[in-house]
Amino acid sequence: MRIPFQFSKKAGLILVILMVSLVLRIYKLNVTPPSLYWEEAALGYDAYSVLKTGMDHHGHWFPVVAFESFGDYKPALYFYSIIPFLFVFGLSVWSVRIPSVIAGVLIVYFSGKIAGLLFQSEELHNSSEMGWGRTLIQPEILTMIITCFSPWAIQFSRGGWEVNLATALLSIGVYFGLRAGSIVQSQPNQKKAMLSFYTLTVLLFVLSAYTYHATRVIAPLLGIVLAYPLIVRYKTNWKQICMLAVLAFGLMLPILLFIRDPSVGHRLQETSTFSTGKEVLESNFYMQQFGSNVVTKLLFHRYWFYLRTIMINAATHLRLDFLFLSGDQNFRHSIQYFGLFFPTDFVLLILSLFTLIKKWQGKYHFLWLWWVIGLIPASLALPVPHALRTLPILPVYMSVLGLGLFALIQYIRKMPFSKILLSGVAVLFCIELIMYLNFYFLAYPKLYASEWQYGYQQMVESIQNNSQSGEKVYITREYGRPAMYYWFFSKTNPSDVQSENAAAPKDQGEFLNFKNVTFSDSLTGNEKGLIASTYKQRQFFSDVTEIETIMDLKGQPVWLVYRAN
Amino acid sequence: MKKLDIEHKQVFFLSVGIFLLSIFLRFWQLGKIPVGLYWDETAIFIDAKTISQTLKDMHGDSAFQTIFLSYGDYKLPMYIWLASLSFKLLGSSEFTLRLPSAVVGVLQGLVVFILLRELTQRRLTDKMSWRVSLLGWFIVAISPWSILFSRTGFEGYTGQFLVTTAVLCLMLSLKSKKWLIGSVLLAIAGVYSYYSVRFVWPVLVICFWFCFVSIEKWSLWRKPLNLVKNLFLSSLPYLVCLVIWGIGLIPIFSSPYYAASQQFRLSASSILDPTPYNIQSNALRDVTGNNTVSRVLYHGWLLQIQSLLENYSDHFDLSFLFLTGDPNLRHSTGEHGLFLLFSLPLLVSGIYYGVKKQPNVLVFLSIWWLIALLPASVPTDTPHALRSLNALTPIILLMAIGAVPFVNCFHSLKKQRTKQAVLYAVILLVSYQLIMFVVDYFYVYPVKSAMWWQQGYKDIVLTVDQNRNKYDKIWINIEDDRFFLWYLAYGDLTVQEIQVAMQHELILKSWENIEYKAYPKDRYPTAVKPFIIVTRAGSLEFEPTHKKIINDSYGLPKFEVGFYE
């Protein structure tokens, strides 16, 4: 009779953690980060376009592999995940970011579940007489807590980041894959359960490949690792292996068919770390020095130099300042005042690694394999280190840190004055958390507003409120991609955009003219009509009526809206 | 008995091989690679030259002083004394200047070998202990970090060698307390070589006592009084050592140049300057409401600590350690890290082995490593291979110990063929990396690094010297106010003339008919000919009668000597 009660204790705790996660991810979502980045605006508007017309703004009918976006291609799933929320919130910041918030909460839950599968001993699973303390102190719950408050997880859950959804799908897939793997090992007769878990994994992994570029590399490799218990028992399971392989291959076919098409390959080419050709030059330089013969060709082959570059790139992701102090150099990926983890998490990481070494089990191999596979796409691309491309390994770090926290608590419990020490640890953690949240909600939006293209919404609203019918409108491209913001915030009918798609002048897929609105790099001073520009371009005009100045959050002017007579 | 002989023979031959390798890597082309003398080396060159002939330095101060003025760089005496001795015995040249460092480089391997033997003799089997010790010696012999710094007249290398030797004496003191005297003397000599040893040594002694001496007493913890008494008694010899060591440093503190030297060291850009942190702190406080909470959370001290930790973390960057090294090409070849890549798994396994089997050794070596990085992490230009040189030995010791799990793993292989294959693969891998490094260092590095070694300065001096008597005035301006050092080192001045010229000067602005400054343009029409102008290539403003161009290592013009007749 006690088991249900015990279950409810744990479930209650998990529920509380998930609620806190949700609050941390949804609180002030529309204003922190301070505004929509242009990729978010594109995600939102194309989703809106598909909802209204069944086509993206370029007029492609229900894109499956990728949406064309500013000369680049974005995997499709995140667009579709926005659509349900368009019904609720309309075309707004909320609907673009909510799928990522939900993905963030799922990551919290499944990181914990994965940690539970890997680190939880059986008696902890089944013990029915656990008090609140013991319910709390188990790797599963502690991992959820760590993920709930993790700066890295929060950063990417509070924006329209496709990678966050991909990571959530990947972690759910991993969870089912691990369960399937353990069934293969311990209950080989339960083929039905095993197959259904593996099928779920395949489906989720395929979905993640349709969500984000890097997971197209990660998901297949990780899938093979997860299927390893099955593959080594191929004699009794070949049927299942074939079925799963066919399923995976079939579902991935659209991506595979377009692998040479820009919609799949463009991103890889554009960001490739080898695009500079540095390695080839270096290899040639060495061969010139020593003459080109078989030995030098072998010693100084460009592949060695490629390998070296990959290793250097991979190594940057282990930099301690990146992980614990200042994070990614991109202001949208990290808040700069904190790393991917809290500084004291370093202690947890070390403790956890020691614990793993001391109590090594075969199943832990999965962790480092996931980690290595997750680093591959980020190491082949620039810039490095990259918090976004490596997000799919977030659950690895979270589980490891969760185990570290578990080990720390166990260790302290054996010491004298354990309660005081534990409170000390909790206080330290709270201080860090307060510092983080204080910075995130108060300083970050103000300091980095320009990184999030702050001011577009206010500018477009001002243009909307002040333009007279038939009047020419000029918006400068000084802050980049104004057309998309214009459509998004003015909720332009997508079929109007599609009808102009063929005729409109463009730069990298970006409209330079839309109906009566011109989006130009620079103004001449001869334009007549409603204009939005910076103060620099405003100076070209002598006779203007100033309408509104849009300020950023630090009180600096971003846009001037005025009428040139 | 016979078997033992074979074993010892193997050890003997291997050690002779490693010894010869380390001699080759340090002495071959010692005077020519690196391709020129660096500022500090040139200054030491001049001091050693004057001391070897007159027992007085370039400024006319006695050779037996504890801080040398050295054109305002305030150098410690040890390396200058060693170089003077070398000059006295073998004459003055680039080779003899670097000779003490190279000898120290060779001895370092031997000391590490003995140190490892002492460290592992009682903890491992005899055979394993020999293997580990030989491996340590081998890593010293071939690690780029050790090779690069033992091939230059940088005093840091000697400093860290003396610290290593002093630690060896500490180890030996576990057998006989007499060794403590040696340890103190070497540690004092260490401080006389390199400033940062001051911070490293006391921590090392305390840590040594804690890890190796006190450890045996802790079993008395049930009798606290007894424990305290025992701990105190066991620490007494080490405390006395520290006191004697402190007394040994008094001559440095009482040097007339001590205060100025400290001011000079602190004037370098470092995190100790609070100004930028206060500015940043104020900015953060402003955007977060400037209340009590924000005043605490964004205190300048916290930002300073964060900066220190970031600098610290730079020294743990795997790229820095194993792939690219210091960005400064005097401290690294740019193609290799401080260690060859094959030693990375050894380091990881060393830490692993330490955790599992030798926690006290691990703690001692880790603290040695950490404290060695402190002086390197305070200045802002991090990572810094020279200032962190004190970490060389502990890292190598960890790597050597890391061989144990690998050897055990190797022995657990069952098939003889697999064993052979693994062995050959390892030998191939290590040889490949070593060959690549040697080829790079001796053939490519001289070209790439020439500008970091003031290449061309010596040529200017020789050209000017040949013509000095034929021309009325010589104007030298190559945008380096320390160029005069090369003239003092390679010019035709006698030692007495140097001392007269430098007696009241730190920076020499002119000497006889040479002016170390730009040619005053307005004087050209009325200038008394003949004269010479030396500038950077392309900077001669008036067409000379004839000119000599001094090329850089790539064959491009670097300096111009214009002759006006």
Side-chain angles (χ1 to χ4, degrees), chain A residues 282 286 299 319 357 438 446, chain B residues 298 314 317 335 352 440:
Chain A
E282 229 169 330
Y286 275 82
L299 278 179
R319 288 183 59 96
I357 291 172
N438 186 287
K446 290 181 190 161
Chain B
Y298 304 106
D314 281 339
D317 183 358
E335 291 294 323
Y352 164 81
D440 190 54

Side-chain angles (χ1 to χ4, degrees), chain A residues 282 285-286 290 299-300 304 308 311-312 315 318-321 325-326 337 354 357-358 435 438-439 446, chain B residues 284 287 297-298 303 306 310 313-314 317-319 323-324 334-335 341 352 355 432 439-440 443-444:
Chain A
E282 229 169 330
F285 175 75
Y286 275 82
F290 300 99
L299 278 179
F300 308 121
W304 291 113
R308 180 169 179 270
M311 286 193 292
I312 292 172
L318 285 169
R319 288 183 59 96
L320 296 178
D321 52 349
L325 295 166
S326 50
Y337 196 57
F354 285 1
I357 291 172
K358 286 210 159 184
M435 284 175 83
N438 186 287
F439 189 89
K446 290 181 190 161
Chain B
L284 284 171
V287 291
L297 291 188
Y298 304 106
L303 300 171
Q306 194 183 20
E310 275 177 26
S313 75
D314 281 339
D317 183 358
L318 293 181
S319 277
L323 291 163
T324 54
E335 291 294 323
L341 191 58
Y352 164 81
V355 174
Y432 173 76
V439 162
D440 190 54
Y443 295 100
V444 181

Side-chain angles (χ1 to χ4, degrees), chain A residues 311-361:
Chain A
M311 286 193 292
I312 292 172
N313 288 351
T316 56
H317 293 95
L318 285 169
R319 288 183 59 96
L320 296 178
D321 52 349
F322 170 68
L323 293 175
F324 299 101
L325 295 166
S326 50
D328 194 321
Q329 285 158 357
N330 185 322
F331 301 137
R332 285 184 305 279
H333 298 171
S334 280
I335 58 170
Q336 309 300 314
Y337 196 57
F338 278 83
L340 307 191
F341 313 112
F342 292 116
T344 49
D345 285 350
F346 178 68
V347 180
L348 300 186
L349 183 70
I350 296 290
L351 256 177
S352 180
L353 292 180
F354 285 1
T355 314
L356 285 173
I357 291 172
K358 286 210 159 184
K359 300 181 177 165
W360 188 259
Q361 293 181 30

Side-chain angles (χ1 to χ4, degrees), chain A residues 275-286:
Chain A
S275 55
T276 56
K278 191 177 75 132
E279 293 78 14
V280 178
L281 289 177
E282 229 169 330
S283 160
N284 290 347
F285 175 75
Y286 275 82

